[in-house]
């Protein structure tokens, strides 16, 4: 539970909420207390000024301070403070508690002069900090405490609501993550049909889309692996069956070990050896262990040599070939044996899929810092649904598996890996009924 993402999110958000609300509470409480204290001080000053005004008015209307005791007592009751009024000689003329009247007063707190508009001082009023026995309705402490309690309960309520909302939101946010985890576990057990059913335009939605895309790729890779195993078994079974049939016929005396029989056995063995070599070469290329002996090479010369080597095959099928080479092609940094193999694979592929009377065009030109080589034909073309998969191992547009048209399905895959090993890239463009065009790039030599 402690290590769960939901608990961590809840703990982190709760801590953040506590810190935020706590800081806001302290700031607002202190500010409120200060404002209440300043308001109380202004109120006290105003009350004191009103007392001065009333006392001065009484002094003028009467005969001095005679009879002022009831007035001071009433003022003290209203103010919630003990008021002591002394005359100019320091004798107490009024005490809101009625204890010191007529006595000489030794002040314990600073007094406030009673004078009309800053004129002659008529006496001094002392306002004691002690209460007169009644609660002071104007005291700032009860109000501050009430405001503090209100803020405290409000903060606690806000924390509770925020934690609840955080809990609910974390469950909602983590729901697709849990779905991803469950789907990933099912994928790990081999069920590649699993997908995350979550549609959202945010980051979690992008994660779900990426996961579904990965699952699709895994499902496709698994299917290709199964197809590859089936294809390897098929490719090995045919020549092995032929060899076994010849050997049984020889053993039973049905045929004689003449030159034709030996030649047929050699062809089947060569087919097996070629398939094994292709698989080994593909494995080395995919693991990055393929050794390249690169040097500066004339691409125009290599194109002419490779085309010349396949010209007899083209002529036997009634195909014409055209070579278009740009003037002054730069040298390329390649392993000529490997790139010759790429070019042969593309030419053999074009011959296999181009009918009699068709044309094959080989073009080489400079493209920025690269040399671009294109093999185009006027053959049957590749259906759009098959085009993205033609560089996959054992993938063949011709599902009949006939060697005459389908081959082993490794030639284009090996060509792609060899071009990429040189730092280039290979692409295919095709339109059914109008032919195909394969283009690969190679780096110029320094």
């Amino acid at each position: 539970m402690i290590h769960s993402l939901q608990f961590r999110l809840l703990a982190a958000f709760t801590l953040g909420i506590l810190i935020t609300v706590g800081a806001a509470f302290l700031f607002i409480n202190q500010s409120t207390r200060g404002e209440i204290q300043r308001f109380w001080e202004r109120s006290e000053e105003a009350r004191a000024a009103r007392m001065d005004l009333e006392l001065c008015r009484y002094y003028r209307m009467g005969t001095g301070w005679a009879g002022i005791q009831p007035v001071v007592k009433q003022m003290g009751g209203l103010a919630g403070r003990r008021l002591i009024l002394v005359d100019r000689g320091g004798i107490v003329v009024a005490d809101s508690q009625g204890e010191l009247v007529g006595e000489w007063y030794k002040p314990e707190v600073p007094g406030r002069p009673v004078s009309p508009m800053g004129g002659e001082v008529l006496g001094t009023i002392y306002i004691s900090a002690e209460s007169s026995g009644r609660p002071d309705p104007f005291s700032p402490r009860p109000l501050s405490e009430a405001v503090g309690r209100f803020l405290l309960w409000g903060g606690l309520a806000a924390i509770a609501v925020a934690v609840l909302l955080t809990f609910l939101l974390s469950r909602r946010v983590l729901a697709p993550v849990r779905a991803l985890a469950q789907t990933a576990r099912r994928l790990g057990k081999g069920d590649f049909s699993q997908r995350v059913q979550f549609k959202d335009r945010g980051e979690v939605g992008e994660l779900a889309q990426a996961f579904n895309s990965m699952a699709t790729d895994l499902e496709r890779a698994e299917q290709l692996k199964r197809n590859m195993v089936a294809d390897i078994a098929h490719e090995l079974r045919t020549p092995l069956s032929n060899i076994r049939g010849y050997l049984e016929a020889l053993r039973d005396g049905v045929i004689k070990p003449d030159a034709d029989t030996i030649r047929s056995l050699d062809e089947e063995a060569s087919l097996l050896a070629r398939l094994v070599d292709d698989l080994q070469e593909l494995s080395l290329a995919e693991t990055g262990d393929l050794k390249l002996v690169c040097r500066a090479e004339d691409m125009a010369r290599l194109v002419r040599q490779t085309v010349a080597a396949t010209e007899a095959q083209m002529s036997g099928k009634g195909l014409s070939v055209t070579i278009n080479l740009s003037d002054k092609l730069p040298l390329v940094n390649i392993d000529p044996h490997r790139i010759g193999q790429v070019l042969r694979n593309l030419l053999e592929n074009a011959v296999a899929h181009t009918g009699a009377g068709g044309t094959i065009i080989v073009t080489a030109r400079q493209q920025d810092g690269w040399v671009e080589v294109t093999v185009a034909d006027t053959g049957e073309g590749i259906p759009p649904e098959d085009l993205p998969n033609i560089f996959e191992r054992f993938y063949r547009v011709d599902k009949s598996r006939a060697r005459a048209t389908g081959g082993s399905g490794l030639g284009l895959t090996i060509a792609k890996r060899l071009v990429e090993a040189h730092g280039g890239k290979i692409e295919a463009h095709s339109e059914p009924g109008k032919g195909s065009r394969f283009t690969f790039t190679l780096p110029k030599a320094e």
Side-chain angles (χ1 to χ4, degrees), residues 391-403:
F391 291 108
E392 298 292 343
R393 290 175 295 183
F394 292 104
Y395 189 90
R396 287 172 296 193
V397 177
D398 181 8
K399 303 301 189 295
S400 66
R401 302 174 184 242
R403 286 198 191 96

Side-chain angles (χ1 to χ4, degrees), residues 171-192:
R171 286 176 60 88
R172 180 177 177 84
V173 170
L174 294 177
V177 177
R178 293 193 183 96
L180 282 170
Q182 293 175 359
T183 307
R185 283 192 288 270
R186 295 193 185 102
L187 281 174
K189 293 179 180 179
D191 186 1
F192 296 102

Side-chain angles (χ1 to χ4, degrees), residues 144-277:
S144 297
E145 291 176 351
V147 171
R149 286 194 298 272
F150 174 77
L151 291 174
L152 178 61
W153 286 111
L156 293 175
I159 290 173
V161 172
V163 170
L164 178 61
L165 290 176
T166 300
F167 176 75
L168 296 176
L169 288 175
S170 65
R171 286 176 60 88
R172 180 177 177 84
V173 170
L174 294 177
V177 177
R178 293 193 183 96
L180 282 170
Q182 293 175 359
T183 307
R185 283 192 288 270
R186 295 193 185 102
L187 281 174
K189 293 179 180 179
D191 186 1
F192 296 102
S193 64
Q194 293 294 318
R195 298 292 184 274
V196 180
Q197 302 300 326
F198 182 77
K199 295 181 180 179
D200 187 79
R201 296 184 179 179
E203 289 80 359
V204 179
E206 292 179 2
L207 177 61
Q209 291 178 2
F211 184 89
N212 288 338
S213 177
M214 179 196 69
T216 301
D217 292 339
L218 287 174
E219 184 178 22
R220 180 166 166 269
E222 179 67 15
Q223 186 60 44
L224 288 173
K225 184 181 74 173
R226 293 173 182 173
N227 293 342
M228 180 187 70
V229 173
D231 286 335
I232 290 176
H234 173 81
E235 293 297 330
L236 293 175
R237 184 184 299 114
T238 302
L240 285 174
S241 297
N242 291 339
I243 292 174
R244 185 177 179 182
Y246 276 113
L247 292 175
E248 288 179 354
L250 288 171
R251 183 188 61 193
D252 296 338
V254 176
I255 60 174
K256 296 180 180 181
D258 55 14
D260 291 337
T261 304
I262 294 174
R263 185 172 60 252
S264 298
L265 288 170
D266 182 64
E267 288 176 358
E268 297 298 337
S270 297
L271 181 61
L272 281 174
R274 187 162 60 249
L275 178 60
V276 173
D277 289 342

Side-chain angles (χ1 to χ4, degrees), residues 46-125:
R47 277 193 292 171
R50 284 196 299 272
M51 288 181 188
D52 288 349
L53 182 62
E54 292 295 330
L55 291 173
C56 289
R57 183 180 300 165
Y58 181 90
Y59 188 89
R60 288 180 176 179
M61 291 177 61
T63 54
W65 295 122
I68 192 64
Q69 173 63 26
V71 176
V72 172
K73 185 176 181 180
Q74 183 181 13
M75 288 182 177
L78 293 174
R81 294 284 188 272
R82 182 179 184 180
L83 303 181
I84 299 176
L85 177 64
V86 300
D87 59 12
R88 284 175 286 190
I91 302 301
V92 176
V93 295
D95 182 358
S96 60
Q97 294 184 1
E99 297 176 355
L100 302 177
V101 178
E103 298 181 7
W104 183 79
Y105 182 65
K106 183 179 180 181
E108 297 178 356
V109 294
R112 182 183 179 91
V114 179
S115 61
M117 301 299 290
E120 180 185 4
V121 176
L122 304 177
T124 304
I125 183 77

Side-chain angles (χ1 to χ4, degrees), residues 350-380:
V351 171
H353 294 280
T354 304
T359 303
I360 297 175
I361 304 172
V362 183
T363 305
R365 62 172 183 166
Q366 181 177 354
Q367 190 76 7
D368 297 328
W370 304 82
V371 170
E372 183 182 87
V373 182
T374 302
V375 177
D377 61 64
T378 57
E380 60 195 26

